[in-house]
Amino acid sequence: MVALTIDGRKVEAGAGSTVLDAALAAGIEIPRLCHHPELTAWGGCRLCLVEVEGQQAPVPSCGLAAAAGMVVITHSEQLEAHRREVLDLLLSDHPLNCVICEKAGACDLQRYAYEFGLSESSHEKEIARKLYQDENAFLVRDHQYCILCTRCVRVCEEIVGASAIEVAQRGFEAFVATPFDAPLVETPCTFCGNCVQVCPTAALVPVDRIGKGREWDLTRTRTVCPYCGTGCGIEVATRGGEIVSVSGYGAPANGEFLCTKGRFGLGFVGHPDRLRRPLIRRDLAYSLGLIDTPPPAALGRSPLGRSPAAGETHVEVDWEIALDLVADRLAAVVKESGPDAFAGIGSALCTNEDNYIFQKLVRGVIGTNNVDLCARV
Amino acid sequence: MRSTVKVGTSTCGLATGAEATFRALQEAVSETGLAVSTQRTGCLGACHREPLVEIVVDGAHVLYGPVTADRARPLLEGHFTLHGAPPPPEDWVVSRTPDRRDYAFFAPQVKVTTANCGVIDPLSLEDYLAAGGYEGLRRALAMSPEAVVAAVTDGRLRGRGGAGYPTGLKWKICRSQPDPLKYLVCNADEGDPGAFMDRTLIEGDPHRVLEGMIIAAHGIGARWGYAYVRAEYPLAVKHLEAAIAQARDAGYLGTDILGSGLDFDVIVKEGAGAFVCGEETALMHSIEGRRGTPRMRPPYPAASGLWGHPTNINNVESYASVPSIMTGGAEWFSSLGTSESGGTKTFALAGAIQRTGLVEVPIGVSLRQVIFDVGGGIRDGHSFKAVQIGGPSGGCLPECLLDTPVDYGPLRATGAIMGSGGMVVVDDTTCMVDLARYFLSFTQDESCGKCIPCRIGTRKMLGILTKITRGEGDTADLDRLQQVAHTIHTTSLCGLGQTAPNPVLTTLRYFRDEYAAHIHDRHCPAGTCTALR
């Protein structure tokens, strides 16, 4: 631990902390746009500049290691003037479409414009990047909103390891590009969408989120991703019971980030074909006396010319009946042919705990080692 | 009788037709049957008289220029009085002495780093050795690394790339790092408009730069060196690579250099055309194969540079000064300059003066001496208006500041900087607003785009300046310029952005009346802004 003074307060910082870390931990806010706690410091936005005693020019606090005895000022007339000027410059290169923007309410630039009372740029308006790319099913890249903070580039390289994007060109013409401007599907992009999650503006937006409501209309629920056994914590934003978007929130298993399934793969949750109750075959249900009418004789060769729907081949029953039926049948097989006649395959979509219980059932209750899991490969 | 005809075939010479001159001389020699050898050399610096041809007969030197191809035959015949030919016209003669001090351009100069340029064959290791080459390395290897670093410190060598950081201190910091793997980088990504010091040095005397790097490697304990040369300097790359191959063969590079136990080798890395890669952290990213953008410092390269290892980065001219410190001694070297900084500085003298070229003067001489004594003053009867020193990072200084010594501190005090050595003189036909606009258009174009003040701020400044040169400016624009300039200067990430407003700030300071004329009178005093004619 090192002790330093920030804005006249004695602050303790852990080893390896930056001045920004130390300030935030002490509840001292410093404006910042390119910083992300999970990514390496970039130092591009110049908003987090602070004054350090003994140094002539302001220093970016995101890249400044906290040192013992350091005396730091995070807010001064000079610093505020520079921050305002930098934001003023940035706003000249940003469409102020906040009234219709998907990101309104969750946009870092909008937040600072509000805090500094900037409704428009005092400079000549000139949007550097006008490219709009929506060639894939997952995310839209609307470059006019990009502020070149490169959080997306860094998350792709440092967290995902895909390095599918990098800044191309330079200066005012610089933009975040794929190799040779190829569509994202032709790059190492895995469509995990972590770039979308870290984007501070509306430059990266999930396709499914567009037009689904303002940020303040959304209800956020923290839950566990149903897609695999890792148990990632996800925060699901919904509106009227419909999923609008999914993001990570800093859960123990996965930290801030998600894979493509957790983020973009939850469409099944509200899908009409989703199984919500146990179903048993109609012929079985009839033979058990659960229904009065027998199933049609030749369903497989249906004159409908289509596959029969679940309601035509199966009937819904309650859990008790379904489980009793399975238990009876299993017991009969084991009695007749021995436990090794049975084999169980678990699913990678189940949690580790569920799969553990499943193998316990197969080994301990049924009495066979014939148990496997599709994720064993 | 031993006779040699030397032709300066550096890039500057080639641009004026030196290749044709060289071939014409070779032809003329074979046709006339003269017993003379023809030789290519680098650049003597007197670019205004190129193509330059020097004829040396038994130690008697005559330097001629400009010698275009059609003058080759008459020159040879005249010089050697063949078939009763008349001697070459007197206005072809530049100098008749070995030190060339009878020509006013050379008289005030003190050649240390450029001593061999235009004198030896840059592709000949023997020539370099005959001129005392690698003697500095021998002496350095006989000294302890600490003593080598101390000598550079005592010589008061400061970074010639422009910032002027004490070279010895930089070496000492790098040397003190515990990491056993250290790198050395030679920054030859010279990009300032009008600057060609590094190019001339590498093209004309590549072994000197290498020797300086090897001495530095000994002082610091570096195992590998990179020479980062801009790709627009193909001849410099070629000469440096040839010198490296020769040095390897001769045991000056490789393992156990000259039996001293020192292992060191140099790799040439060509730049890819970005001005910002001259900034040391961007340069390192480029060597590592990453996008050439600067990063925050600290950590400084001396602590964490290439691939996270301690790295010492110096400019070409800094390294080229080192062998002379070893041979001449730190005391002699420091006595060449001022109490602040020792040695000499090369400048690429260009613009509206009589004698343009590459000049080397002791640090501390005045701008006036460089421009008027070496450069011969303003040409075509015009009058001096300003000198732009330090390239796009530098500033424009008026006549009243001409007695400023060329030294890091005094130049900084004026709002300009020493810079890498670009010195452009302008006369009364140049509009200072337009000049500032030109330099800003350069930095705006070369900004990497990483930080907001440089990416957007320089763009906005350029917009305001363009407006003023079109006669559409108003008084508020000047305040706005100053305000944005202040933020760019204070908040930009790297030196490119921090110094980008300098040409505007210095012209606003020293030539404000010209801005006022554009705004209030809708008049361009120099008459160059076309919209205001």
Side-chain angles (χ1 to χ4, degrees):
Chain A
M1 295 292 271
V2 292
L4 63 160
T5 309
I6 303 181
D7 293 344
R9 283 171 54 189
K10 295 279 177 212
V11 169
E12 293 264 297
S17 293
T18 64
V19 169
L20 179 62
D21 295 336
L24 293 178
I28 299 168
E29 259 301 307
I30 300 177
R32 60 205 181 278
L33 280 172
C34 64
H35 174 263
H36 189 285
E38 299 289 318
L39 305 174
T40 54
W42 181 246
C45 76
R46 317 311 282 172
L47 289 182
C48 76
L49 292 171
V50 294
E51 288 164 5
V52 180
E53 200 174 88
Q55 302 228 21
Q56 281 189 334
V59 195
S61 57
C62 67
L64 180 66
M70 213 174 228
V71 179
V72 178
I73 292 170
T74 67
H75 291 81
S76 71
E77 206 175 310
Q78 270 288 314
L79 288 172
E80 295 307 288
H82 285 310
R83 284 173 185 150
R84 164 179 281 270
E85 185 65 62
V86 169
L87 281 168
D88 192 1
L89 288 168
L90 196 48
L91 289 178
S92 75
D93 181 20
H94 193 89
L96 297 177
N97 291 341
C98 305
V99 289
I100 53 145
C101 182
E102 301 290 344
K103 199 75 175 201
C107 169
D108 289 353
L109 180 58
Q110 188 191 40
R111 173 188 158 193
Y112 291 123
Y114 173 81
E115 287 180 9
F116 282 80
L118 292 162
S119 59
E120 247 302 352
S121 175
S122 67
H123 293 282
E124 190 188 347
K125 195 91 179 173
E126 187 182 12
I127 307 297
R129 297 161 287 275
K130 299 200 171 86
L131 201 57
Y132 182 88
Q133 294 170 300
D134 64 347
E135 79 296 294
N136 67 79
F138 304 98
L139 56 103
V140 166
R141 290 176 285 160
D142 194 350
H143 293 259
Q144 60 177 335
Y145 295 110
C146 177
I147 58 169
L148 277 184
C149 68
T150 71
R151 286 189 200 173
C152 55
V153 175
R154 282 175 285 152
V155 81
C156 194
E157 179 183 340
E158 296 168 17
I159 304 290
V160 185
S163 295
I165 45 176
E166 174 60 289
V167 180
Q169 303 299 331
R170 65 175 181 237
F172 200 65
E173 277 80 42
F175 70 106
V176 177
T178 55
F180 308 105
D181 286 331
L184 271 176
V185 285
E186 293 170 21
T187 72
C189 174
T190 63
F191 295 99
C192 65
N194 289 311
C195 53
V196 178
Q197 182 177 319
V198 297
C199 181
T201 68
L204 294 168
V205 178
V207 169
D208 287 344
R209 196 241 170 278
I210 295 170
K212 294 282 174 61
R214 314 312 303 274
E215 282 292 319
W216 49 87
D217 293 334
L218 306 179
T219 307
R220 290 166 202 285
T221 310
R222 288 185 177 183
T223 181
V224 175
C225 176
Y227 240 106
C228 80
T230 306
C232 294
I234 57 175
E235 187 170 274
V236 183
T238 55
R239 188 183 182 209
E242 188 192 350
I243 294 177
V244 174
S245 67
V246 180
S247 52
Y249 64 87
N254 59 310
E256 294 283 330
F257 302 111
L258 296 177
C259 77
T260 186
K261 294 177 183 172
R263 190 182 309 278
F264 296 122
L266 295 194
F268 69 87
V269 171
H271 199 279
D273 286 350
R274 181 179 173 188
L275 291 183
R276 292 159 195 272
R277 309 248 312 146
L279 298 176
I280 64 171
R281 293 204 313 270
R282 271 188 177 277
D283 57 342
L284 197 58
Y286 181 69
S287 70
L288 290 172
L290 295 172
I291 52 173
D292 299 331
T293 48
L299 253 184
R301 294 182 298 279
S302 167
L304 298 172
R306 59 167 171 79
S307 303
E312 292 172 280
T313 56
H314 289 72
V315 287
E316 207 173 277
V317 296
D318 58 32
W319 281 102
E320 205 171 328
I321 293 173
L323 289 173
D324 281 349
L325 187 62
V326 172
D328 288 350
R329 289 296 173 101
L330 266 181
V333 168
V334 172
K335 191 174 179 188
E336 190 181 305
S337 311
D340 285 343
F342 177 84
I345 307 285
S347 169
L349 266 70
C350 297
T351 63
N352 284 337
E353 292 79 0
D354 284 345
N355 275 318
Y356 177 80
I357 292 294
F358 178 70
Q359 65 84 34
K360 200 81 179 163
L361 173 83
V362 176
R363 289 198 172 98
V365 178
I366 295 173
T368 177
N369 286 326
N370 292 342
V371 61
D372 209 342
L373 181 74
C374 67
R376 188 180 57 84
V377 283
Chain B
M1 188 174 89
R2 209 183 115 93
S3 308
T4 315
V5 177
K6 300 178 182 181
V7 185
T9 53
S10 278
T11 300
C12 47
L14 295 176
T16 56
E19 185 62 34
T21 300
F22 184 72
R23 294 214 177 121
L25 280 167
Q26 278 184 317
E27 257 176 51
V29 165
S30 71
E31 282 169 23
T32 54
L34 272 171
V36 301
S37 60
T38 48
Q39 190 190 328
R40 291 170 186 272
T41 72
C43 174
L44 275 171
C47 300
H48 56 286
R49 296 293 291 265
E50 279 185 315
L52 286 167
V53 174
E54 188 169 40
I55 302 182
V56 187
V57 182
D58 289 336
H61 294 243
V62 185
L63 180 67
Y64 296 99
V67 183
T68 44
D70 58 314
R71 289 182 174 180
R73 181 83 181 235
L75 175 77
L76 268 192
E77 289 178 348
H79 186 88
F80 292 97
T81 52
L82 296 177
H83 327 299
E90 202 49 37
D91 64 346
W92 293 13
V93 178
V94 179
S95 154
R96 291 186 187 278
T97 58
D99 65 4
R100 303 170 200 89
R101 287 189 188 281
D102 56 332
Y103 184 52
F105 177 76
F106 293 112
Q109 297 195 44
V110 175
K111 296 211 169 207
V112 175
T113 59
T114 59
N116 293 338
C117 291
V119 177
I120 64 167
D121 176 356
L123 290 174
S124 164
L125 175 59
E126 292 69 36
D127 265 23
Y128 183 62
L129 292 173
Y134 288 111
E135 180 55 30
L137 176 62
R138 282 180 201 283
R139 293 198 188 181
L141 290 177
M143 294 156 68
S144 71
E146 291 83 359
V148 169
V149 176
V152 173
T153 307
D154 294 344
R156 290 204 291 271
L157 175 62
R158 293 176 65 175
R160 297 293 193 248
Y165 192 79
T167 306
L169 182 57
K170 202 185 233 185
W171 289 15
K172 194 177 169 187
I173 295 169
C174 192
R175 172 164 183 77
S176 68
Q177 303 296 318
D179 189 334
L181 177 58
K182 297 185 176 72
Y183 287 100
L184 201 72
V185 175
C186 174
N187 184 348
D189 192 50
E190 181 174 61
D192 287 357
F196 48 89
M197 298 75 56
D198 298 350
R199 186 191 71 205
T200 306
L201 260 171
I202 297 178
E203 284 180 356
D205 197 7
H207 278 289
R208 174 183 289 274
V209 182
L210 269 189
E211 186 180 351
M213 289 180 74
I214 304 166
I215 295 169
H218 175 54
I220 291 160
R223 176 64 185 85
W224 295 101
Y226 281 90
Y228 190 89
V229 189
R230 63 185 302 206
E232 295 88 340
Y233 284 178
L235 197 63
V237 170
K238 184 182 152 197
H239 284 193
L240 192 58
E241 281 181 338
I244 288 170
Q246 290 166 354
R248 279 186 193 136
D249 287 346
Y252 296 112
L253 282 176
T255 51
D256 194 18
I257 292 169
L258 301 182
S260 67
L262 174 67
D263 297 342
F264 180 68
D265 212 331
V266 176
I267 298 158
V268 174
K269 167 84 186 168
E270 288 182 51
F275 175 71
V276 75
C277 284
E279 195 278 341
E280 59 182 13
T281 58
L283 185 152
M284 292 192 303
H285 284 159
S286 177
I287 291 178
E288 289 173 353
R290 304 176 69 90
R291 179 173 160 84
T293 50
R295 64 157 168 80
M296 289 182 281
R297 298 177 304 185
Y300 286 89
S304 176
L306 283 174
W307 296 286
H309 296 286
T311 302
N312 179 73
I313 304 184
N314 287 128
N315 169 261
V316 172
E317 205 181 325
S318 303
Y319 284 124
S321 299
V322 170
S324 301
I325 299 177
M326 295 299 132
T327 52
E331 201 178 317
W332 162 79
F333 188 82
S334 89
S335 74
L336 287 174
T338 64
S339 58
E340 263 189 49
S341 27
T344 55
K345 177 80 192 85
T346 56
F347 288 98
L349 192 55
I353 46 162
Q354 304 272 6
R355 296 187 288 264
T356 60
L358 187 81
V359 307
E360 183 168 5
V361 291
I363 286 184
V365 303
S366 70
L367 286 169
R368 192 184 298 278
Q369 283 171 287
V370 177
I371 295 163
F372 286 88
D373 296 351
V374 179
I378 306 302
R379 67 177 173 223
D380 302 334
H382 286 285
S383 59
F384 175 90
K385 185 189 260 186
V387 55
Q388 210 285 343
I389 176 166
S393 313
C396 301
L397 304 182
E399 178 145 28
C400 64
L401 289 174
L402 276 183
D403 292 316
T404 309
V406 288
D407 197 355
Y408 298 93
L411 280 171
R412 197 179 289 273
T414 64
I417 58 165
M418 178 80 131
S420 61
M423 201 183 272
V424 183
V425 179
V426 297
D427 63 15
D428 47 17
T429 61
T430 298
C431 168
M432 298 311 286
V433 185
D434 194 48
L435 187 69
R437 192 198 58 79
Y438 164 73
F439 278 107
L440 210 73
S441 73
F442 180 85
T443 38
Q444 191 272 139
D445 197 40
E446 293 293 346
S447 164
C448 76
K450 176 168 176 173
C451 75
I452 297 166
C454 182
R455 179 175 80 235
I456 307 177
T458 56
R459 181 98 175 167
K460 295 305 159 199
M461 283 183 73
L462 179 63
I464 298 173
L465 286 168
T466 307
K467 216 172 98 182
I468 295 175
T469 56
R470 285 187 186 146
E472 296 158 5
D474 55 54
T475 319
D477 283 336
L478 295 188
D479 296 337
R480 200 81 186 95
L481 264 184
Q482 216 129 15
Q483 191 187 342
V484 181
H486 180 50
T487 292
I488 298 175
H489 169 74
T490 313
T491 65
S492 286
L493 172 64
C494 81
L496 192 159
Q498 287 158 12
T499 58
N502 283 354
V504 180
L505 289 175
T506 49
T507 47
L508 270 173
R509 184 163 156 193
Y510 302 120
F511 301 94
R512 204 178 180 92
D513 52 332
E514 289 201 30
Y515 283 88
H518 283 76
I519 291 170
H520 300 303
D521 311 334
R522 303 284 185 236
H523 169 65
C524 173
T528 51
C529 293
T530 45
L532 295 178
R533 275 181 190 159

